[in-house]
Amino acid sequence: MLPIHQLSLSLYSSSRLLIQLIQSSLNELNLTYPQFLVLSVLWEEDGLKVNEIGKRLFLDSGTLTPLLKKLEAMNYVKRQRGEADERTVHVELTYPGKSLQSKVLEALKPLNEKFIQGTELNLTDINYSLLNMLESIQKLKNSN
């Protein structure tokens, strides 16, 4: 088996299992994992354009728009067309969307604690390595 194949399999399997664990914690808040990702980006930096959110999550607007519509229907975000260019859409958190962050963190806290206790790995180091890998994969993709 090629190393890239082994890496791909490990990342895919680990990602799916981790997402399933996180999703089980999000169920009580009636959030899906993709909705959580969009909100997480906005909790880091509110008032982004749709394409900026898409770049951070590697999602196109066709995937992102239904997510944003659903989050808007749930009153977590507000979408607004740009005045200078109607093709641009800005997304801002509403008050309920902002206050949801503490509820999500509280829901994920037990999982985070179990994960830290269940492994001797340093999560900060793992995250740093994965971000470096992501950057390398982006460069590879852009060079093709």
Side-chain angles (χ1 to χ4, degrees):
M1 195 181 297
L2 294 172
I4 191 101
H5 181 251
Q6 291 173 324
L7 176 64
S8 173
L9 180 61
S10 295
L11 286 172
Y12 177 78
S13 301
S14 298
S15 175
R16 285 192 41 87
L17 287 173
L18 183 58
I19 290 168
Q20 288 172 3
L21 284 170
I22 292 170
Q23 182 60 64
S24 66
S25 297
L26 296 173
N27 285 340
E28 66 190 55
L29 300 169
N30 296 316
L31 275 182
T32 65
Y33 183 74
Q35 290 168 347
F36 161 70
L37 292 178
V38 170
L39 289 168
S40 294
V41 167
L42 292 169
W43 289 328
E44 280 185 22
E45 185 177 350
D46 198 4
L48 294 172
K49 295 177 189 170
V50 171
N51 67 337
E52 293 170 329
I53 297 169
K55 283 179 187 174
R56 293 182 190 197
L57 295 175
F58 299 92
L59 295 174
D60 59 38
S61 62
T63 303
L64 207 45
T65 299
L67 282 170
L68 292 168
K69 283 184 178 180
K70 179 68 175 176
L71 288 170
E72 189 172 40
M74 298 166 81
N75 194 31
Y76 291 140
V77 300
K78 176 177 63 173
R79 295 179 303 149
Q80 190 170 351
R81 294 218 170 262
E83 291 180 20
D85 184 355
E86 286 196 12
R87 294 173 296 179
T88 63
V89 178
H90 290 81
V91 182
E92 292 183 9
L93 291 164
T94 61
Y95 180 76
K98 290 176 184 175
S99 63
L100 182 64
Q101 182 178 13
S102 60
K103 295 174 188 168
V104 168
L105 292 175
E106 195 61 35
L108 293 177
K109 192 175 182 179
L111 176 60
N112 190 60
E113 289 170 356
K114 286 178 187 175
F115 197 83
I116 289 170
Q117 290 171 356
T119 181
E120 294 177 11
L121 302 172
N122 182 323
L123 295 183
T124 303
D125 291 344
I126 293 170
N127 191 46
Y128 182 74
S129 296
L130 288 173
L131 288 173
N132 284 333
M133 186 186 322
L134 177 61
E135 190 176 300
S136 297
I137 293 169
Q138 282 177 291
K139 288 177 184 174
L140 261 174
K141 184 180 177 200
N142 292 337
S143 70
N144 286 335

